Amino acid sequence: ICRDEEGLYYALDLGGTNFRVLRVHLGGKEKGIISQESDEVSIPLELMTGSSEGLFDFIAGALAKFVESEPEGFHPPAGRQRELGFTFSFPVKQTSIASGTLIKWTKGFSIEDTVGQDVVGELTKSLEKIGLDMRVAALVSLTLLF
């Protein structure tokens, strides 16, 4: 995070049977991190082996509920989307700063229609479906393949 950044930013961490969402209010050089809130959501077992659409729709819905608690006065200005950092702790081939193709699931997940797909694209489809104006600004994969 740049020290000069100001505003409200979001993060999503999908790494197992739970995922976390985080909102941080940055105040620039002078104030640093003003506040942060987070929530942890359990993923129902049936979504870990169902469809890509089912999983990402569930995640998008939980993210939308979290965004609803955004403090008044912190909504982005017209024409600007909320920005999301997406930590995805499964093997992906990173294709750009904000895209990556799932190589395989681990940690009890087995959703065949996601393998070979861009996980940011899958999440984006679900965000658009519910009208949540948010874009993934960066994808971070914390899984190394040996």
Side-chain angles (χ1 to χ4, degrees):
I1 298 175
C2 291
R3 295 178 193 250
D4 293 339
E5 293 293 331
E6 293 183 22
L8 221 48
Y9 295 89
Y10 287 85
L12 168 64
D13 178 7
L14 176 59
T17 57
N18 298 313
F19 66 90
R20 287 173 291 285
V21 291
L22 168 78
R23 175 177 41 242
V24 62
H25 181 194
L26 301 177
K29 275 185 189 174
E30 301 299 315
K31 297 180 181 175
I33 296 175
I34 295 171
S35 67
Q36 63 183 26
E37 300 88 34
S38 64
D39 194 16
E40 188 167 326
V41 180
S42 293
I43 299 172
L45 290 177
E46 64 271 13
L47 292 180
M48 295 172 60
T49 58
S51 69
S52 185
E53 181 179 17
L55 175 64
F56 285 101
D57 283 359
F58 178 77
I59 292 169
L63 186 55
K65 286 180 187 169
F66 186 69
V67 168
E68 286 174 9
S69 67
E70 190 175 83
E72 283 299 318
F74 287 99
H75 306 302
R80 182 166 176 207
Q81 292 180 296
R82 289 174 180 85
E83 294 194 12
L84 177 71
F86 185 14
T87 301
F88 187 78
S89 299
F90 299 93
V92 297
K93 179 181 180 190
Q94 189 103 22
T95 53
S96 75
I97 186 79
S99 62
T101 303
L102 178 65
I103 297 169
K104 68 177 184 174
W105 286 107
T106 57
K107 305 174 188 178
F109 283 77
S110 180
I111 305 171
E112 289 306 313
D113 65 341
T114 315
V115 175
Q117 299 300 313
D118 174 17
V119 294
V120 172
E122 294 298 300
L123 177 60
T124 299
K125 282 191 283 189
S126 293
L127 294 173
E128 289 173 350
K129 190 186 303 182
I130 61 171
L132 182 54
D133 195 17
M134 180 176 277
R135 75 175 186 89
V136 176
L139 173 69
V140 178
S141 177
L142 298 179
T143 302
L144 300 175
L145 294 177
F146 296 97

